[in-house]
C-alpha cells in the first residue's frame, strides 16, 4: 500500500499511526524462514521486540538469497590503495568464503550466542568474519582496527569474546601498523582471555603466534575449502552484534542490535532513503569499525543485492601509493557507482585538492552523495554539490539508531534539501523537540530544544546497552524530567516546513552571561569566512560571564598563520562576522589559528578535549583520538 503513495508526509504518517501495517509491509523486503506472529511488542517500554515469532538470518539475506539471480554479480569490491590490490568477490565467491570462515570459527569452538571480536583493517576477511558470525548466530563486536591496546582491552573485557579475528596489520598513508602486538598487549591487560585467535596475514607486519591459541586464516581456510555451513535460523530479537559509540563525549557505550528488525530496517532504508537498486554499486567510504560500515558497507547494500565497495586507504592516495585526490572519483567511474556515502570531514579533505579532479572522471552514474557523522556546513555542502552536480544528502543519525533518523527519503518522494538541515524525521521515528529541563514539548517553528525520540523506537534501533539494561534506561531514557523519551543528546530546531537543524550536542551549549548559545551556530557563522577551512568553538569557564566562546580555526592557506598582521586582521573579520550573524554575545573571546583540530578516528571533532585543555583540566580518555599531538598546539596557543 505505501508503494502507491508518492507523498512523503502520508508515508511518514502511516508509519507512526499504523506502525504494525507499515512495518509488516516493509518486512516483505527480506526473506523469513518462519513468519512473525506479532509486528511490534512494546509491552515493556522502552524495550521493543520487533517481528516476534519470526525467524531469519542476516547472512542469508545478504548473501544466500541472491545466489539464484545474481551469483556471478560482484558482491564485494575490495580496493586498497595501501597495498595496491583490487579484488572482486561475486555473490557466489562470497558465499564460499563466508562458509569457509564460518567453518573455521566453528572449528575454534564458536557457537550460537558466542561473541567474536573482530579487530581488522578494511580487508575482505573482515566482512567474511562479520557475515560468518551472522550465519552462525554468533555475536560480532567489531573494534576499529588500530585502536590502542587500552581501548581494545576494555572492549575485550566488556564483550568477553570466545574468539578474536584479526590480522597482521593495517596500513595508513603507506605506513604499516602492526596489529598483533597491540592485540597481544590488550589480551594481557584484559581479565577475560579469548580461547583462540584467527589471524589473516597479508605480510604487512611480522606476527608472532602463540602455539595452541593463534591460528592462521590461510591454514584454516585451506582445511575448509569445501565447507558447507547452513545459516542458523534465529529469532528476530536474537542479538546480531554489539558496537561501541565513537566516544566523542565520554566512555563509549556498547550498543546492542537485533537480527530481524535490523535486516528490515536496512532493506527499507536502501529502498526508501538511499534509492539503491539491486545490481548497482554502493560506495561508502566509512570503515567497518563504525556503524556506517556495518549498515552501509556490509549488510545494507548486500541485502539490497547491490555490489559494495570496500575501500582501504586515504581519500588522497592512488593505487600506486602516490598522492591522488581523485581516487574515489576514479572508483565511481570504474564501478559505475550510483549511491555514495561519506562524511563531511572527508569532503573537507577533498576540498583542499585540485577542483579539476571533480570533472576529470565520468561521474554520470552517480545519483546522490550521502553525508553523515557530523554537521555539514553550508560552504562544504555547496562546494561538493556544485562540483558533483548531484543531490548532496545530509543524514543525521547515531550508532544507537543504526540507520538515518533525519534525512530526505528520496526513494519515496524527491523533496528538496535545505542547506544546513539534514531533513525531516524518517518513517518510524517519532522525533520531538523538548525543553531540556522542563520536558515541555516545543511545537513552534524556531524553538530550540533537545531532540528526542518517543517509544517505540523503530526496527534496527539499539535494543539495549550490552549487558547493562540499567545504563540503557538511565543514560538514554531518564534524562528529561518527567518524560520517558529517548534522548539523542543533540540540540535542534525545526522550521515551519518541518525541516530540522542540528545545533550541536547538548553538552556543547555554552552559557554566556545567562544566554545559551550552541557552539555549532557560531561555527557555522565562522566557517562562512572565505579563508576558513575548519573551525571548532568551545565554551571556556570565565569568572565574569560564566562562559566565553573560544574559536580554533584551521585556515585554507596555512602560511597566514605565521603572519601576525594577517592573523590579527582575520581574527577581526571573523569576530565581525559572528557579530553580524548572531550578535555580539556570541562573539568568541579569542580566535586562535591552528594547523589541525583534534578528532576521533572517525573524523569527529573532539570539543570535549579542546575544552579540557582550555580550562587546564585533565583531558580524560583520549583513546579514540586520531592524533594527540594536535592538542599540544592548542595548549600552546591558549
Ligand atoms: P559518543 O556517543 O560515544 O560520545 P558519538 O556520539 O560521536 O560518540 P556516533 O554515534 O558515531 O558517536 O555519532 C552520533 C552523533 O554524531 C550524533 O548524535 C550527532 O551529534 C553527530 N551527527 C551525526 N550525523 C550528523 C549530522 N548529519 N549532522 C549533525 N550532527 C551529526
Ligand atoms: Mg553519541
Amino acid at each position: 500500500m505505501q508503494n502507491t503513495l508518492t507523498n512523503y508526509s502520508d508515508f511518514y504518517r502511516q508509519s507512526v499511526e499504523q506502525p504494525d501495517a507499515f512495518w509488516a509491509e516493509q518486512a516483505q523486503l527480506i526473506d523469513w524462514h518462519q513468519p512473525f506472529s506479532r509486528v511490534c511488542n512494546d509491552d515493556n517500554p522502552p524495550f521493543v521486540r520487533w517481528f516476534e515469532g519470526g525467524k531469519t538470518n542476516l547472512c542469508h539475506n545478504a548473501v544466500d538469497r541472491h545466489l539464484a539471480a545474481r551469483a556471478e554479480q560482484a558482491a564485494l569490491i575490495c580496493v586498497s590503495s595501501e597495498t595496491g590490490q583490487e579484488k572482486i568477490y561475486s555473490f557466489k565467491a562470497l558465499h564460499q568464503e563466508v562458509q569457509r570462515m564460518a567453518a573455521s570459527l566453528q572449528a575454534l569452538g564458536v557457537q550460537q550466542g558466542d561473541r567474536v571480536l573482530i579487530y581488522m583493517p578494511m580487508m575482505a576477511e573482515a566482512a567474511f568474519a562479520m557475515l560468518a558470525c551472522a550465519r552462525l548466530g554468533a555475536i560480532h563486536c567489531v573494534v576499529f582496527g588500530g585502536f590502542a591496546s587500552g581501548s581494545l582491552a576494555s572492549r575485550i573485557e566488556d564483550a568477553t569474546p570466545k574468539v578474536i579475528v584479526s590480522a597482521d596489520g593495517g596500513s595508513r598513508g603507506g605506513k604499516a601498523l602492526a596489529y598483533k602486538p597491540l592485540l597481544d598487549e590488550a589480551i594481557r591487560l584484559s581479565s577475560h582471555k579469548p580461547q583462540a585467535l584467527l589471524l589473516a596475514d597479508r605480510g604487512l607486519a611480522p606476527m608472532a603466534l602463540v602455539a595452541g591459541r593463534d591460528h592462521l586464516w590461510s591454514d584454516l581456510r585451506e582445511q575448509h575449502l569445501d565447507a558447507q555451513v547452513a545459516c542458523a535460523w534465529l529469532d528476530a530479537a536474537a542479538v546480531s552484534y554489539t558496537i561501541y559509540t565513537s566516544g566523542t563525549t565520554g566512555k563509549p557505550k556498547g550498543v546492542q542490535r537485533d537480527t530481524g528488525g535490523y535486516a528490515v530496517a536496512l532493506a527499507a532504508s536502501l529502498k526508501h532513503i538511499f534509492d539503491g537498486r539491486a545490481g548497482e554499486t554502493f560506495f561508502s567510504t566509512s570503515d567497518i569499525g563504525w556503524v556506517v560500515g556495518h549498515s552501509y558497507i556490509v549488510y545494507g547494500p548486500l541485502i539490497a543485492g547491490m555490489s559494495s565497495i570496500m575501500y582501504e586507504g586515504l581519500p588522497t592516495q592512488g593505487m600506486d601509493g602516490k598522492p591522488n585526490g581523485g581516487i574515489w572519483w576514479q572508483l565511481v567511474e570504474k564501478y559505475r557507482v550510483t549511491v555514495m556515502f561519506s562524511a563531511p570531514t572527508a569532503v573537507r579533505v577533498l576540498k583542499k585538492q585540485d577542483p579539476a579532479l571533480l570533472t576529470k572522471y565520468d561521474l554520470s552514474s552517480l545519483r546522490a552523495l550521502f553525508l553523515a557523522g557530523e554537521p555539514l556546513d553550508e560552504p562544504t555542502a555547496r562546494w561538493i554539490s556544485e562540483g558533483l552536480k548531484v543531490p548532496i544528502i545530509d543524514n543525521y543519525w547515531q550508532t544507537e539508531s543504526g540507520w538515518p533518523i533525519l534525512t530526505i527519503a528520496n526513494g519515496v518522494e524527491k523533496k528538496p534539501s535545505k542547506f544546513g538541515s539534514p531533513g525531516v524525521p524518517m518513517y518510524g521515528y517519532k522525533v520531538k523537540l523538548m525543553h531540556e529541563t522542563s520536558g515541555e514539548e516545543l511545537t513552534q517553528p524556531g524553538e530550540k530544544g533537545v531532540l528526542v525520540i518517543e517509544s517505540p523506537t523503530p526496527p534496527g534501533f539499539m535494543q539495549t546497552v550490552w549487558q547493562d539494561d540499567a545504563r540503557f534506561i538511565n543514560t538514554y531514557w531518564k534524562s528529561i524530567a518527567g518524560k520517558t523519551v529517548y534522548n539523542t543528546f543533540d540540540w535542534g530546531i525545526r522550521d515551519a516546513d518541518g525541516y530540522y537543524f542540528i545545533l550541536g550536542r547538548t553538552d556543547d551549549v555554552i552559557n554566556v552571561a545567562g544566554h545559551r548559545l550552541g557552539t555549532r551556530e557560531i561555527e557555522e557563522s565562522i566557517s562562512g569566512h572565505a579563508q576558513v577551512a575548519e573551525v571548532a568553538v568551545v565554551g571556556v569557564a570565565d569568572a565574569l560571564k560564566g562562559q566565553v566562546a573560544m574559536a580554533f580555526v584551521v585556515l585554507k592557506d596555512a602560511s597566514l598563520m605565521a603572519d601576525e598582521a594577517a592573523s590579527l586582521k582575520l581574527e577581526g573579520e571573523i569576530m565581525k562576522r559572528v557579530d553580524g550573524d548572531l550578535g555580539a554575545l556570541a562573539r568568541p573571546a579569542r580566535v586562535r589559528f591552528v594547523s589541525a583540530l583534534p578528532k576521533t578516528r572517525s573524523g569527529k571533532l573532539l570539543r570535549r578535549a579542546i575544552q579540557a585543555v582550555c580550562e587546564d583540566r585533565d583531558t580524560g580518555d583520549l583513546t579514540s583520538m586520531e592524533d594527540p599531538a594536535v592538542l599540544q598546539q592548542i595548549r600552546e596557543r591558549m
Side-chain angles (χ1 to χ4, degrees):
M1 83 200 93
Q2 290 92 14
N3 296 338
T4 59
L5 301 176
T6 48
N7 172 321
Y8 183 71
S9 320
D10 291 345
F11 188 79
Y12 176 78
R13 194 171 319 115
Q14 205 218 349
S15 78
V16 292
E17 287 176 3
Q18 297 155 269
D20 283 7
F22 181 88
W23 287 109
E25 176 159 337
Q26 303 309 321
Q28 303 315 310
L29 292 169
I30 67 156
D31 275 5
W32 292 89
H33 179 67
Q34 180 180 301
F36 46 91
S37 47
R38 187 172 176 190
V39 180
C40 176
N41 175 349
D42 67 336
D43 295 345
N44 180 27
F47 300 97
V48 200
R49 293 169 81 87
W50 284 98
F51 308 116
E52 212 167 50
K55 285 191 191 293
T56 186
N57 183 288
L58 275 167
C59 184
H60 167 84
N61 278 289
V63 184
D64 300 45
R65 77 162 168 153
H66 300 305
L67 293 175
R70 47 191 82 251
E72 305 305 332
Q73 180 197 309
L76 279 186
I77 300 168
C78 302
V79 181
S80 171
S81 59
E82 295 291 339
T83 63
Q85 280 183 349
E86 198 159 338
K87 191 157 183 199
I88 298 178
Y89 295 88
S90 64
F91 277 98
K92 190 170 146 201
L94 180 62
H95 184 237
Q96 226 154 30
E97 293 295 345
V98 169
Q99 291 187 89
R100 291 167 184 159
M101 182 67 83
S104 303
L105 290 174
Q106 274 179 328
L108 298 175
V110 173
Q111 292 173 355
Q112 191 171 322
D114 285 341
R115 270 82 54 215
V116 174
L117 189 138
I118 299 171
Y119 178 70
M120 294 183 96
M122 286 290 286
M123 62 195 290
E125 282 76 3
F128 303 163
M130 291 167 74
L131 291 162
C133 287
R135 195 169 190 87
L136 298 173
I139 298 167
H140 61 68
C141 173
V142 182
V143 176
F144 182 72
F147 254 173
S149 300
S151 30
L152 179 55
S154 63
R155 286 156 173 83
I156 295 175
E157 195 100 47
D158 195 60
T160 59
K162 192 176 252 180
V163 171
I164 296 181
V165 186
S166 188
D168 58 330
S171 177
R172 208 175 146 77
K175 267 195 273 165
L177 173 67
Y179 282 12
K180 186 66 182 358
L182 295 172
L183 178 55
D184 282 336
E185 173 63 7
I187 294 171
R188 197 186 63 76
L189 291 171
S190 163
S191 65
H192 171 85
K193 311 289 177 197
Q195 260 177 36
L197 266 51
L198 181 56
L199 301 154
D201 190 358
R202 291 189 293 176
L204 285 177
M207 198 162 46
L209 301 185
V210 175
R213 186 196 70 179
D214 299 356
H215 306 265
L216 285 175
W217 158 241
S218 51
D219 292 345
L220 277 162
R221 181 178 178 275
E222 196 64 32
Q223 289 165 28
H224 298 101
L225 277 183
D226 304 315
Q228 292 192 347
V229 180
C231 288
W233 298 113
L234 306 171
D235 286 338
V239 183
S240 58
Y241 68 78
T242 66
I243 180 173
Y244 294 88
T245 57
S246 303
T248 308
T249 53
K251 185 170 171 256
K253 305 167 267 287
V255 167
Q256 174 183 315
R257 196 136 14 245
D258 74 353
T259 297
Y262 187 51
V264 171
L266 291 182
S269 71
L270 256 301
K271 179 171 179 199
H272 303 308
I273 299 175
F274 296 97
D275 192 18
R277 302 162 203 166
E280 297 179 346
T281 307
F282 196 106
F283 179 18
S284 163
T285 66
S286 184
D287 188 284
I288 47 138
W290 315 126
V291 69
V292 178
H294 285 61
S295 294
Y296 299 114
I297 293 176
V298 181
Y299 292 115
L302 296 180
I303 287 175
M306 297 179 79
S307 311
S308 180
I309 297 183
M310 220 176 145
Y311 175 75
E312 176 183 47
L314 302 174
T316 51
Q317 149 186 306
M319 292 303 283
D320 53 5
K322 297 205 184 104
N324 175 0
I327 179 77
W328 286 356
W329 313 125
Q330 206 175 313
L331 292 174
V332 170
E333 175 184 274
K334 180 164 180 188
Y335 293 107
R336 309 295 299 153
V337 171
T338 56
V339 188
M340 189 165 167
F341 192 139
S342 192
T345 183
V347 177
R348 281 184 219 115
V349 168
L350 294 175
K351 213 166 138 186
K352 295 178 191 151
Q353 306 289 313
D354 180 0
L357 289 167
L358 286 174
T359 45
K360 187 169 164 196
Y361 300 95
D362 173 10
L363 307 180
S364 58
S365 59
L366 197 63
R367 285 198 298 269
L369 170 65
F370 290 81
L371 297 173
E374 269 193 301
L376 175 62
D377 58 281
E378 190 168 331
T380 301
R382 280 197 190 279
W383 177 81
I384 191 72
S385 147
E386 279 156 20
L388 291 180
K389 300 190 176 56
V390 298
I392 305 301
I393 303 175
D394 188 0
N395 55 121
Y396 161 87
W397 47 299
Q398 307 183 308
T399 309
E400 290 87 340
S401 69
W403 59 285
I405 298 170
L406 299 173
T407 186
I408 303 290
N410 249 341
V412 181
E413 180 192 349
K414 297 209 181 334
K415 273 168 88 93
S417 289
K418 292 191 187 189
F419 280 118
S421 164
V424 300
M426 283 301 97
Y427 48 92
Y429 285 104
K430 291 189 271 181
V431 176
K432 299 267 153 72
L433 290 172
M434 277 183 185
H435 190 276
E436 199 178 18
T437 43
S438 74
E440 181 203 345
E441 189 182 331
L442 306 173
T443 51
Q444 294 307 309
E447 287 183 307
K448 290 184 205 173
V450 183
L451 199 81
V452 303
I453 302 167
E454 281 182 348
S455 174
T457 48
F461 205 86
M462 78 187 290
Q463 291 179 296
T464 183
V465 172
W466 170 249
Q467 302 274 301
D468 202 346
D469 288 349
R471 187 171 181 206
F472 176 59
I473 291 176
N474 294 330
T475 304
Y476 294 107
W477 294 89
K478 284 209 165 153
S479 57
I480 307 259
K483 292 277 163 68
T484 306
V485 287
Y486 173 88
N487 192 341
T488 62
F489 298 103
D490 287 310
W491 198 245
I493 201 168
R494 185 180 45 233
D495 72 7
D497 301 326
Y499 283 65
Y500 283 73
F501 294 78
I502 301 294
L503 304 177
R505 296 166 188 258
T506 48
D507 53 5
D508 289 338
V509 168
I510 60 175
N511 197 326
V512 180
H515 297 265
R516 296 163 67 74
L517 302 163
T519 50
R520 162 88 207 276
E521 296 168 89
I522 307 176
E523 285 168 4
E524 187 82 29
S525 164
I526 295 177
S527 69
H529 189 288
Q531 269 302 327
V532 173
E534 270 189 288
V535 54
V537 171
V538 297
V540 178
D542 180 86
L544 206 63
K545 295 184 176 163
Q547 271 185 317
V548 292
M550 286 279 298
F552 292 90
V553 171
V554 179
L555 291 171
K556 283 188 187 144
D557 177 359
S559 70
L560 292 178
M561 247 172 78
D563 181 340
E564 212 165 306
S567 299
L568 262 176
K569 182 165 167 277
L570 276 172
E571 177 166 12
E573 284 172 17
I574 286 172
M575 289 187 171
K576 220 166 126 198
R577 231 193 124 79
V578 177
D579 283 2
D581 289 347
L582 302 166
L585 256 176
R587 180 200 303 161
R590 296 259 180 295
V591 179
R592 290 289 186 245
F593 301 104
V594 289
S595 55
L597 295 169
K599 293 192 180 165
T600 63
R601 305 242 183 168
S602 48
K604 288 162 183 274
L605 209 51
L606 271 168
R607 293 195 191 76
R608 152 180 82 87
I610 305 179
Q611 194 181 32
V613 166
C614 293
E615 296 184 343
D616 206 16
R617 284 186 285 113
D618 175 25
T619 47
D621 180 14
L622 290 182
T623 48
S624 64
M625 198 164 144
E626 169 85 45
D627 178 11
V630 302
L631 273 185
Q632 191 48 38
Q633 196 188 27
I634 289 181
R635 196 168 279 126
E636 284 158 11
R637 282 173 192 265
M638 265 303 293

